[in-house]
Coordinates of all heavy atoms in Angstrom, one line a residue:
V1 N 79.3 153.7 101.4 CA 78.6 152.6 100.7 C 78.7 152.8 99.2 O 79.0 151.8 98.5 CB 77.1 152.5 101.2 CG1 76.4 151.6 100.3 CG2 77.1 152.1 102.6
F2 N 78.5 154.0 98.8 CA 78.6 154.3 97.3 C 80.0 154.0 96.8 O 80.2 153.5 95.7 CB 78.2 155.8 97.1 CG 78.1 156.2 95.7 CD1 77.0 155.7 94.9 CD2 79.1 157.0 95.1 CE1 76.9 156.1 93.6 CE2 79.0 157.3 93.8 CZ 77.9 156.9 93.0
T3 N 81.0 154.4 97.6 CA 82.4 154.2 97.2 C 82.7 152.7 97.1 O 83.4 152.3 96.1 CB 83.4 154.9 98.1 OG1 83.0 156.3 98.2 CG2 84.8 154.7 97.7
V4 N 82.3 152.0 98.1 CA 82.6 150.5 98.1 C 81.9 149.8 96.9 O 82.5 149.0 96.2 CB 82.1 149.9 99.4 CG1 82.1 148.4 99.3 CG2 83.0 150.4 100.6
F5 N 80.7 150.3 96.6 CA 79.9 149.7 95.5 C 80.7 150.0 94.2 O 80.9 149.1 93.3 CB 78.5 150.3 95.4 CG 77.8 149.9 94.2 CD1 77.3 148.6 94.0 CD2 77.5 150.9 93.2 CE1 76.6 148.3 92.8 CE2 76.8 150.6 92.1 CZ 76.3 149.3 91.9
C6 N 81.2 151.2 94.0 CA 81.9 151.6 92.8 C 83.2 150.8 92.7 O 83.5 150.3 91.6 CB 82.3 153.1 92.8 SG 80.9 154.2 92.5
H7 N 83.9 150.6 93.8 CA 85.2 149.9 93.8 C 85.0 148.5 93.5 O 85.9 147.8 92.9 CB 85.9 150.1 95.1 CG 87.3 149.8 95.0 ND1 88.2 150.5 94.3 CD2 88.1 148.8 95.6 CE1 89.5 150.0 94.4 NE2 89.4 149.0 95.2
A8 N 83.9 147.9 93.9 CA 83.6 146.5 93.7 C 83.2 146.1 92.3 O 83.5 145.1 91.8 CB 82.6 146.0 94.7
C9 N 82.5 147.1 91.6 CA 81.9 146.8 90.3 C 82.4 147.6 89.1 O 82.1 147.2 88.0 CB 80.4 147.0 90.4 SG 79.6 146.0 91.7
Y10 N 83.2 148.6 89.4 CA 83.7 149.5 88.3 C 85.2 149.7 88.4 O 85.8 149.6 89.4 CB 82.9 150.8 88.4 CG 81.5 150.7 88.1 CD1 80.6 150.4 89.2 CD2 80.9 150.9 86.9 CE1 79.2 150.3 89.0 CE2 79.6 150.8 86.6 CZ 78.7 150.5 87.7 OH 77.4 150.4 87.4
E11 N 85.7 150.0 87.2 CA 87.2 150.3 87.1 C 87.5 151.7 87.6 O 86.8 152.6 87.4 CB 87.6 150.1 85.6 CG 89.1 150.2 85.4 CD 89.4 150.0 83.9 OE1 88.9 150.8 83.1 OE2 90.1 149.0 83.6
G12 N 88.7 151.8 88.3 CA 89.1 153.1 88.7 C 89.8 153.0 90.1 O 89.6 152.0 90.8
K13 N 90.5 154.1 90.4 CA 91.1 154.2 91.7 C 90.1 154.6 92.8 O 89.2 155.3 92.5 CB 92.3 155.2 91.7 CG 93.4 154.8 90.7 CD 94.0 153.5 91.0 CE 95.1 153.2 90.0 NZ 95.8 151.9 90.2
I14 N 90.3 154.2 94.0 CA 89.4 154.4 95.1 C 89.2 155.9 95.4 O 88.1 156.4 95.8 CB 89.7 153.6 96.3 CG1 88.5 153.5 97.3 CG2 91.0 154.1 97.0 CD1 88.6 152.5 98.4
L15 N 90.3 156.7 95.3 CA 90.2 158.1 95.5 C 89.3 158.8 94.5 O 88.4 159.6 94.9 CB 91.6 158.8 95.4 CG 92.5 158.8 96.7 CD1 93.8 159.5 96.4 CD2 91.8 159.4 97.8
T16 N 89.4 158.4 93.3 CA 88.5 158.9 92.2 C 87.1 158.5 92.5 O 86.1 159.4 92.4 CB 88.9 158.4 90.9 OG1 90.3 158.7 90.7 CG2 88.2 159.2 89.8
Q17 N 86.9 157.3 92.9 CA 85.5 156.8 93.2 C 84.9 157.5 94.4 O 83.7 157.8 94.4 CB 85.5 155.3 93.3 CG 85.9 154.6 92.0 CD 86.2 153.1 92.2 OE1 86.5 152.7 93.3 NE2 86.1 152.3 91.1
C18 N 85.8 157.7 95.4 CA 85.3 158.4 96.6 C 84.9 159.9 96.3 O 83.8 160.4 96.7 CB 86.4 158.4 97.7 SG 85.9 159.2 99.2
L19 N 85.7 160.5 95.4 CA 85.4 161.9 95.0 C 84.1 162.0 94.3 O 83.2 162.8 94.5 CB 86.5 162.5 94.2 CG 86.4 163.9 93.7 CD1 86.3 164.9 94.9 CD2 87.5 164.3 92.8
C20 N 83.9 161.0 93.3 CA 82.6 161.0 92.6 C 81.4 160.7 93.5 O 80.3 161.1 93.3 CB 82.7 160.0 91.5 SG 83.9 160.5 90.1
A21 N 81.7 159.8 94.5 CA 80.6 159.5 95.5 C 80.2 160.8 96.2 O 79.0 161.1 96.5 CB 81.1 158.5 96.5
V22 N 81.2 161.6 96.6 CA 80.9 162.9 97.3 C 80.1 163.8 96.4 O 79.1 164.4 96.8 CB 82.2 163.6 97.8 CG1 81.9 165.0 98.3 CG2 82.9 162.7 98.8
F23 N 80.5 164.0 95.1 CA 79.8 164.8 94.1 C 78.4 164.3 93.9 O 77.5 165.1 93.9 CB 80.6 164.8 92.8 CG 81.6 165.9 92.7 CD1 83.0 165.6 92.6 CD2 81.3 167.2 92.7 CE1 83.9 166.5 92.5 CE2 82.2 168.2 92.6 CZ 83.6 167.9 92.5
S24 N 78.3 163.0 93.8 CA 76.9 162.4 93.5 C 76.0 162.7 94.7 O 74.8 163.0 94.5 CB 77.1 160.9 93.2 OG 77.8 160.7 92.1
Y25 N 76.5 162.5 95.9 CA 75.7 162.7 97.1 C 75.3 164.2 97.2 O 74.1 164.5 97.5 CB 76.5 162.3 98.4 CG 75.7 162.6 99.6 CD1 74.7 161.7 100.0 CD2 75.9 163.7 100.4 CE1 73.9 161.9 101.2 CE2 75.1 164.0 101.6 CZ 74.2 163.1 101.9 OH 73.4 163.3 103.1
V26 N 76.2 165.1 96.9 CA 75.9 166.5 97.0 C 74.8 166.9 96.0 O 73.9 167.7 96.2 CB 77.1 167.4 96.9 CG1 76.8 168.9 96.7 CG2 78.1 167.2 98.1
I27 N 75.0 166.4 94.7 CA 74.0 166.6 93.7 C 72.7 166.1 94.0 O 71.6 166.8 93.9 CB 74.5 166.0 92.3 CG1 75.7 166.8 91.8 CG2 73.4 166.0 91.3 CD1 76.4 166.1 90.6
M28 N 72.6 164.9 94.6 CA 71.3 164.3 94.9 C 70.7 165.1 96.1 O 69.5 165.3 96.2 CB 71.5 162.8 95.3 CG 71.9 162.0 94.1 SD 72.3 160.3 94.4 CE 70.7 159.7 94.9
L29 N 71.5 165.5 97.1 CA 71.0 166.2 98.2 C 70.5 167.6 97.8 O 69.4 168.1 98.3 CB 72.1 166.4 99.3 CG 71.7 167.1 100.6 CD1 70.6 166.4 101.3 CD2 72.9 167.3 101.5
A30 N 71.2 168.3 96.9 CA 70.8 169.6 96.4 C 69.5 169.4 95.6 O 68.6 170.3 95.7 CB 71.9 170.2 95.5
L31 N 69.4 168.4 94.8 CA 68.1 168.1 94.1 C 67.0 167.8 95.0 O 65.8 168.3 94.8 CB 68.3 167.0 93.1 CG 69.1 167.2 91.8 CD1 69.4 165.9 91.1 CD2 68.3 168.2 90.9
D32 N 67.3 167.1 96.0 CA 66.3 166.7 97.1 C 65.8 168.0 97.7 O 64.6 168.2 97.9 CB 66.9 165.8 98.1 CG 65.8 165.3 99.1 OD1 64.7 165.2 98.8 OD2 66.2 165.1 100.3
T33 N 66.7 168.9 98.1 CA 66.4 170.1 98.8 C 65.6 171.0 97.9 O 64.5 171.6 98.3 CB 67.7 170.9 99.2 OG1 68.4 170.0 100.0 CG2 67.3 172.1 100.0
A34 N 66.0 171.2 96.6 CA 65.2 172.0 95.7 C 63.8 171.5 95.4 O 62.8 172.3 95.4 CB 66.0 172.1 94.3
A35 N 63.7 170.2 95.3 CA 62.3 169.6 95.2 C 61.4 169.8 96.4 O 60.2 170.1 96.2 CB 62.5 168.1 94.9
I36 N 62.0 169.7 97.6 CA 61.3 170.0 98.8 C 60.8 171.4 98.8 O 59.7 171.8 99.2 CB 62.1 169.6 100.0 CG1 62.3 168.1 100.1 CG2 61.4 170.1 101.3 CD1 63.2 167.7 101.2
F37 N 61.7 172.4 98.5 CA 61.4 173.8 98.4 C 60.2 174.0 97.4 O 59.3 174.8 97.8 CB 62.6 174.6 98.0 CG 63.7 174.7 99.0 CD1 64.9 175.3 98.7 CD2 63.4 174.3 100.3 CE1 65.9 175.4 99.7 CE2 64.4 174.4 101.3 CZ 65.6 174.9 101.0
L38 N 60.3 173.4 96.3 CA 59.2 173.6 95.3 C 57.9 173.0 95.8 O 56.8 173.5 95.6 CB 59.6 172.9 94.0 CG 60.7 173.6 93.2 CD1 61.2 172.7 92.0 CD2 60.3 174.9 92.6
F39 N 58.0 171.8 96.5 CA 56.8 171.2 97.0 C 56.1 172.1 98.1 O 54.9 172.2 98.2 CB 57.1 169.8 97.6 CG 55.9 169.0 98.0 CD1 55.2 168.3 97.0 CD2 55.5 168.9 99.3 CE1 54.1 167.5 97.3 CE2 54.4 168.2 99.6 CZ 53.7 167.5 98.6
C40 N 57.0 172.7 98.9 CA 56.5 173.6 100.0 C 55.7 174.8 99.4 O 54.7 175.2 99.8 CB 57.6 174.1 100.8 SG 58.4 172.9 101.9

């Protein structure tokens, strides 16, 4: 979903956008996990 959104609204090749989508998801998941650990 993130890749399709990038490709529809932003300039760039789909491979680059897919890679950035993966990085963004991992960063957000890691932040989510760290925040949950701190809340616990």
